[in-house]
Amino acid sequence: MIAIVTAATVMSYALYTISDETVEKFGTNHLYYTIPFVLYGIFRYLYLVHKRDEGGNPTHTIITDIPLIANVLVWIIVTILIIYFHLL
């Protein structure tokens, strides 16, 4: 079940970044550059859940894992740069 949901989430996000409606709404077709950050975030969380048994409290896991926090911050920065400054 986790594999199916993970694959569906990644595919949905990837399709969202390249959809005509998204490109029109944000005025850029470069949001696909954010896909690696989403992949890393999902796989990092799955790693923490399966290898480190930290899945009991997802909120605690997300707000205490430094690499995951850094990933989210970089994703936000890159997304802002793409949308508002048309960089990349």
Side-chain angles (χ1 to χ4, degrees), residues 2 5-6 37-65 67-69 71-72:
I2 290 174
V5 171
T6 301
F37 301 108
V38 173
L39 280 171
Y40 177 80
I42 290 172
F43 291 143
R44 175 70 184 177
Y45 181 74
L46 290 175
Y47 166 77
L48 293 172
V49 168
H50 292 293
K51 296 295 182 187
R52 293 196 179 170
D53 290 328
E54 295 183 17
N57 185 349
T59 305
H60 182 266
T61 301
I62 292 170
I63 64 173
T64 58
D65 185 60
L68 202 49
I69 293 170
N71 182 61
V72 170

Side-chain angles (χ1 to χ4, degrees), residues 52-87:
R52 293 196 179 170
D53 290 328
E54 295 183 17
N57 185 349
T59 305
H60 182 266
T61 301
I62 292 170
I63 64 173
T64 58
D65 185 60
I66 300 301
L68 202 49
I69 293 170
N71 182 61
V72 170
L73 291 175
V74 173
W75 175 80
I76 290 170
I77 291 167
V78 169
T79 303
I80 288 171
L81 289 173
I82 291 171
I83 292 173
Y84 294 108
F85 300 102
H86 300 288
L87 298 177

